[in-house]
Amino acid sequence: MDSLKIKLSLAQPNLKKFFNGNTRICCVRAFITVFLLLISIQSMAANPSVQDELLVRPESNGSLRLNAEKGKAIGPEIKYMPEWKAFGWFTAKDRVEWSVLVEKSGEYEVFLEWSVSDIEAGKPFVFRAGSKDLKNNVAKSGSWETFKSKKIGNVHLSAGQQLMVFKPDSKFKKGALLDLREIKLVPIETKVGAQKLTTEKEFRAAVVKKSITPSDSQYLLGYGERKSESVHDSIFHRIVAMDDGEKQFFIVSTDICLFSPSEYDKVADKLQKQHGIEPIDIWWTVTHTHSAPEVGVPGIYGTYMGERIQHEVDPAYTAMVEQKLIDGILEARKNLEPAGLGVGWGFSQANINRRALDIDGKASLGMNPDGAVDRRIGLIRIDREDGSPLALISNYAIHGTVLGHGNLKISGDAPGIVSEYVEQKIGAPVLFINGAAGNLAPIYSTYPTPGSGHLGQFRVLLGDKIIEANQRILSTTNVVKLNSGAMVVETPRKLGLGWPSDLGNYTRTTNDGLNIVRLPIRFLNINDDVAIWSAPLELFNEISNEIRDRSPFPFTFYFGYTNGWLGYLPTSSAWQHGGYEVETVSPFTSTAEIELKEAVLGYLSGL
């Protein structure tokens, strides 16, 4: 912007000839206001730092990311939605502009990240960059909550600072164009050069294991209020990083019970702002051991069972867990090495349905050998270039409750014991990822000591079954493509349920006063045969079983307790039986099962 030059001669005007009485006072004030405003504008124009904050600059590989946070929305209806980091309410009269610094002239591929409902899809748009107008139609993404990324064409850019514009290409009268999160421009020369420099084994991976075992007594989460007295076995962050040459993805398994989604948001925000890692590419899961310390604010757990948290959560321990997680992710990203990936299935009878039914049909926590179970083990193995194991991801549904309320020793419970055992046998870290364990318990449950709970036997009951299944994975591939996605399922909130202040982004109230839970779902698609979906839930296993059976992907895994915890999501049929999972620790209603299954299966079918 050219600086404004203002020439004022305060000695020339004779104000008495122009103003008198009260009018004189008002006009003088107006004159001074205009004068100060013009001086302010001149100062802003002369200060490039005001403009530099929104200037899009190239990344290290030359790519340009025109995200919503850097864009300028112009028009009567368009709004920036911080919870989605996207522009919404995009009508025919709206547009978005970016000021972009192009360091190198050349051809660029253009990728659009957007969401739209199927009804509103199909409207034309134009992206103006350089000397070319790139035109296309808005493709279906599945829903307003489902963001997808797709190449929309190529443009030639000249070096220098320039304006880029995205807007509708028709004057439609009803509806909206799309929700716009980002436009990414990737230099073709960089992409071609990278392909020439890499071999066929371009998939890379790394694994990091960080101890988070406390050095002092900590309150344990999972039963009534109690503090640890000693350590039975150490607890860890286990982190896998994967890189397919275009996308990096991180999976974390932590030996704790649960944490609030706001805790995930806090850590993910740091990783994004300080290290450029997008939240959609970070999955933080927990093993759900009930013998590990609390982490972060209580969240909705405190709403359900506030009597269990009549104390302050230790901020020092939480800070240590957060920092070691961030350090571990950065270390994994730094240590990426050529790798191959393989998948497989296993089977273990280490769990049992825990919804015991009485003659009156009422459910209680116990054992139900006739109830639904999920005893499949899902495996993802990552090998080094020489064929030696780098990491094993094991997905199995089981509550971390071999040890009960009477136990005061820090422990990873069955998931932790099994992980350590398998690691010793195969020579590589094992990420235990819990599944739909909402109504599944270990076959030995809630014992006061490791010995009385037969904790060590789970090395045979589950550990040996993981090892056997791993041996049946006979090959891996170094040709790997990673695609991540996300959606939000909106479903009614249970009547009369309060809501914690830290979870404002996970609820809303409709115009007619209905409270809604906004349930975030994540997806990871690996090549053409693996689909993983995750949620911050204790899900009943019948739901994930049906989604797996109906999925178009031969390997469909559900990662539970991911990116936080919002409580239990039971089946619709479970509500008639009541019980702890329905009455105490669920924010949902009986319609949630159908809404979740339809949304997830719809997304998987569109991949």
Side-chain angles (χ1 to χ4, degrees):
M1 179 185 293
D2 293 330
S3 62
L4 293 174
K5 296 183 178 179
I6 306 168
K7 185 176 181 180
L8 297 174
S9 177
L10 297 180
Q12 292 176 358
N14 187 344
L15 297 180
K16 291 184 179 180
K17 293 183 179 180
F18 293 92
F19 310 122
N20 55 64
N22 293 332
T23 304
R24 177 189 307 169
I25 297 173
C26 294
C27 290
V28 169
R29 285 177 176 170
F31 183 85
I32 293 173
T33 299
V34 171
F35 172 72
L36 293 175
L37 178 60
L38 291 172
I39 293 297
S40 176
I41 293 173
Q42 183 180 21
S43 176
M44 288 177 61
N47 185 1
S49 64
V50 176
Q51 308 299 324
D52 284 353
E53 292 182 4
L54 295 179
L55 180 64
V56 177
R57 299 178 182 275
E59 297 182 332
S60 58
N61 64 354
S63 296
L64 298 162
R65 296 181 56 191
L66 283 59
N67 56 41
E69 293 173 306
K70 293 276 189 177
K72 179 181 179 182
I74 301 173
E77 300 293 338
I78 189 169
K79 294 181 178 65
Y80 176 68
M81 304 180 295
E83 68 275 21
W84 295 102
K85 296 185 178 178
F87 285 116
W89 309 97
F90 212 129
T91 68
K93 297 181 180 180
D94 299 313
R95 70 182 189 273
V96 180
E97 296 181 350
W98 293 269
S99 181
V100 183
L101 178 62
V102 179
E103 289 186 347
K104 191 172 183 180
S105 301
E107 291 290 321
Y108 287 71
E109 290 182 313
V110 182
F111 297 85
L112 175 70
E113 187 175 358
W114 86 103
S115 74
V116 71
S117 68
D118 289 353
I119 296 175
E120 298 285 0
K123 297 183 180 70
F125 65 83
V126 58
F127 175 58
R128 183 166 297 160
S131 59
K132 183 175 180 179
D133 283 355
L134 190 59
K135 298 186 178 184
N136 213 315
N137 293 327
V138 178
K140 295 179 180 180
S141 72
S143 72
W144 285 113
E145 293 80 23
T146 305
F147 281 84
K148 289 191 174 182
S149 180
K150 179 181 178 181
K151 180 181 175 180
I152 58 173
N154 295 348
V155 295
H156 181 85
L157 299 180
S158 299
Q161 187 168 331
Q162 52 199 271
L163 187 70
M164 297 187 185
V165 182
F166 181 91
K167 63 180 182 178
D169 198 29
S170 68
K171 296 182 179 180
F172 56 91
K173 295 182 179 180
K174 293 183 179 180
L177 180 67
L178 82 177
D179 285 354
L180 175 62
R181 177 174 284 169
E182 181 178 90
I183 298 173
K184 187 172 183 178
L185 294 89
V186 180
I188 294 177
E189 180 179 299
T190 299
K191 189 173 181 181
V192 172
Q195 290 174 347
K196 291 179 180 179
L197 291 173
T198 59
T199 66
E200 292 181 359
K201 297 186 177 183
E202 59 186 83
F203 175 64
R204 299 183 301 155
V207 63
V208 170
K209 184 177 177 181
K210 295 275 190 183
S211 175
I212 57 168
T213 309
S215 58
D216 56 359
S217 177
Q218 291 287 322
Y219 281 102
L220 306 178
L221 184 63
Y223 301 111
E225 194 172 68
R226 71 205 202 283
K227 293 195 76 173
S228 65
E229 294 180 350
S230 60
V231 175
H232 176 266
D233 53 279
S234 297
I235 56 177
F236 300 91
H237 288 308
R238 293 174 173 91
I239 303 161
V240 161
M242 297 183 288
D243 185 334
D244 67 358
E246 294 184 1
K247 172 185 283 294
Q248 291 184 349
F249 194 89
F250 302 88
I251 299 175
V252 182
S253 173
T254 301
D255 292 320
I256 58 176
C257 185
L258 56 86
F259 54 83
S260 177
S262 66
E263 175 67 20
Y264 165 79
D265 293 337
K266 176 182 175 184
V267 173
D269 187 62
K270 283 185 179 180
L271 285 165
Q272 181 187 40
K273 290 181 177 177
Q274 298 177 14
H275 305 288
I277 302 174
E278 293 299 321
I280 199 171
D281 296 324
I282 307 166
W283 287 13
W284 183 10
T285 75
V286 299
T287 60
H288 200 49
T289 171
H290 285 40
S291 296
E294 304 161 335
V295 173
V297 298
I300 201 166
Y301 182 83
T303 302
Y304 297 141
M305 294 173 287
E307 73 280 358
R308 294 187 178 184
I309 307 180
Q310 297 296 313
H311 56 269
E312 181 184 1
V313 176
D314 184 355
Y317 182 76
T318 293
M320 182 269 282
V321 169
E322 293 172 352
Q323 191 57 52
K324 287 202 171 185
L325 175 58
I326 293 172
D327 292 345
I329 287 176
L330 298 179
E331 183 179 336
R333 184 168 68 168
K334 181 180 178 182
N335 294 337
L336 289 165
E337 61 180 289
L341 184 145
V343 293
W345 290 112
F347 180 83
S348 168
Q349 299 186 88
N351 61 14
I352 189 170
N353 191 294
R354 69 177 198 167
R355 294 265 295 170
L357 296 178
D358 211 332
I359 57 173
D360 60 359
K362 296 301 181 183
S364 61
L365 294 177
M367 290 188 181
N368 181 0
D370 298 320
V373 292
D374 179 10
R375 287 176 169 160
R376 296 182 79 171
I377 304 168
L379 291 182
I380 300 175
R381 192 177 78 215
I382 301 174
D383 289 346
R384 293 186 175 88
E385 193 172 21
D386 63 6
S388 62
L390 178 66
L392 183 65
I393 298 173
S394 177
N395 178 213
Y396 186 75
I398 186 170
H399 251 75
T401 53
V402 173
L403 300 173
H405 180 271
N407 172 64
L408 300 180
K409 294 181 178 181
I410 298 287
S411 174
D413 207 274
I417 292 294
V418 168
S419 297
E420 286 289 309
Y421 172 72
V422 177
E423 287 177 0
Q424 293 170 9
K425 292 295 185 180
I426 70 171
V430 174
L431 276 70
F432 190 103
I433 309 291
N434 221 316
N439 53 348
L440 294 178
I443 59 172
Y444 300 112
S445 288
T446 62
Y447 284 82
T449 65
S452 63
H454 309 278
L455 184 60
Q457 291 184 22
F458 283 87
R459 293 174 293 185
V460 175
L461 292 166
L462 181 53
D464 282 346
K465 302 301 185 292
I466 293 173
I467 293 170
E468 292 170 8
N470 179 52
Q471 292 170 345
R472 292 195 294 270
I473 301 176
L474 301 179
S475 63
T476 61
T477 178
N478 53 36
V479 180
V480 176
K481 179 64 178 175
L482 306 171
N483 287 300
S484 57
M487 69 185 308
V488 171
V489 177
E490 294 201 334
T491 183
R493 199 166 93 198
K494 183 186 291 182
L495 290 175
L497 178 68
W499 201 257
S501 59
D502 66 300
L503 296 181
N505 289 336
Y506 296 84
T507 190
R508 72 177 181 90
T509 302
T510 65
N511 292 334
D512 55 3
L514 178 65
N515 289 323
I516 298 293
V517 178
R518 304 185 72 247
L519 173 61
I521 309 296
R522 296 287 182 86
F523 298 89
L524 176 63
N525 174 217
I526 305 176
N527 293 343
D528 296 327
D529 53 356
V530 180
I532 310 171
W533 67 285
S534 67
L537 293 173
E538 296 205 47
L539 189 68
F540 274 30
N541 74 92
E542 297 95 320
I543 300 173
S544 65
N545 288 350
E546 182 178 345
I547 289 174
R548 182 176 62 208
D549 293 343
R550 294 171 59 187
S551 169
F553 293 87
F555 294 94
T556 300
F557 305 141
Y558 168 69
F559 286 10
Y561 308 92
T562 300
N563 299 341
W565 185 85
L566 289 175
Y568 285 70
L569 199 157
T571 58
S572 299
S573 60
W575 288 80
Q576 62 182 314
H577 301 293
Y580 167 78
E581 301 93 340
V582 169
E583 297 168 359
T584 306
V585 284
S586 177
F588 304 106
T589 68
S590 60
T591 67
E593 176 193 3
I594 296 175
E595 291 158 346
L596 176 63
K597 287 191 303 190
E598 289 180 349
V600 172
L601 285 168
Y603 189 97
L604 294 177
S605 298
L607 288 175

